[in-house]
Amino acid sequence: MLKRIGIIVGSVREKSYSKSLAKAISSFFPETIEMTIIRIDDLPLFNPDLDQDVALRPDSYERFRREVKAQDALIVISPEYNRTIPAALKNAIEVGSRPMTDIAFNGKPTLVITQSAGSMGGFGANHHIRQALVFLNAIAMPQPEVYLSEIHHLIDKEGTILKADTEQFLRMVVKNFLGFATLF
């Protein structure tokens, strides 16, 4: 039974569309599920040298890994930057990938949602996120894939979905994800 779902937002901007989207879809989940935004903005660049020495390891590395591991499932919501993923998100994935004997993402059912101001909806970023997470043994929901184009026409910065068909689609995605995530 799902009790905790963590949301990793790929943008560190204060008023990002990804954060607005996280807020909007959180309300589509049953109240019995605890929804948690997992911070990535405080993670220093991943450095294996720091990570190998407990005295040097940043506390935020351990906090991030612990929070990811505590979730029953994950949602990654990200913009696309230059046809790929934002540096902060890639860094968070690297932090969660260690130690290799205890990967934070291991076995986590995961929904990937990408968005962009352009017409491709973060297609490139979506597949790069999936590629990295699947390598780390996360279980990416195969369908529906979620690419939201021209995000500024679909949601506002406060998390209000502006189009009924977008809300209907996202509610269907959440319903499918709940079914998918309970399989694991």
Side-chain angles (χ1 to χ4, degrees):
M1 179 172 191
L2 290 175
K3 294 181 182 175
R4 294 174 303 280
I5 297 177
I7 302 175
I8 299 172
V9 176
S11 175
V12 296
R13 288 180 54 209
E14 185 61 35
K15 291 279 191 172
S16 75
Y17 284 109
S18 293
K19 285 181 184 175
S20 298
L21 193 54
K23 178 182 175 184
I25 70 164
S26 290
S27 69
F28 300 160
F29 285 86
E31 290 181 11
T32 55
I33 296 177
E34 179 184 335
M35 304 297 292
T36 302
I37 301 286
I38 300 174
R39 287 184 63 191
I40 66 171
D41 63 336
D42 65 338
L43 297 172
L45 286 177
F46 179 69
N47 181 336
D49 293 337
L50 295 179
D51 203 34
Q52 289 176 5
D53 186 338
V54 176
L56 297 176
R57 184 179 303 140
D59 291 340
S60 59
Y61 282 15
E62 290 304 315
R63 188 248 341 130
F64 178 78
R65 292 169 180 156
R66 194 174 46 253
E67 287 182 10
V68 170
K69 288 177 188 177
Q71 307 308 311
D72 298 315
L74 297 170
I75 300 171
V76 178
I77 303 174
S78 183
E80 179 173 278
Y81 290 172
N82 303 314
R83 298 275 191 248
T84 191
I85 65 179
L89 178 56
K90 177 64 168 128
N91 187 57
I93 292 170
E94 297 304 322
V95 169
S97 74
R98 297 295 186 270
M100 286 299 287
T101 56
D102 192 23
I103 297 167
F105 303 104
N106 188 37
K108 301 289 181 195
T110 304
L111 169 62
V112 178
I113 299 173
T114 53
Q115 53 80 17
S116 72
S119 62
M120 293 184 65
F123 177 85
N126 196 296
H127 286 268
H128 290 165
I129 294 165
R130 287 170 176 275
Q131 181 179 17
L133 291 176
V134 168
F135 175 76
L136 298 173
N137 206 34
I139 307 163
M141 185 170 84
Q143 292 293 328
E145 293 179 332
V146 184
Y147 319 107
L148 299 172
S149 302
E150 299 182 355
I151 192 69
H152 53 287
H153 294 303
L154 305 179
I155 191 167
D156 67 19
K157 296 285 185 152
E158 284 71 48
T160 302
I161 298 172
L162 304 174
K163 296 192 174 202
D165 59 339
T166 301
E167 181 174 339
Q168 183 179 5
F169 172 70
L170 291 171
R171 285 184 182 277
M172 181 271 300
V173 168
V174 166
K175 181 181 177 189
N176 286 2
F177 183 60
L178 287 169
F180 173 77
T182 57
L183 297 174
F184 303 94

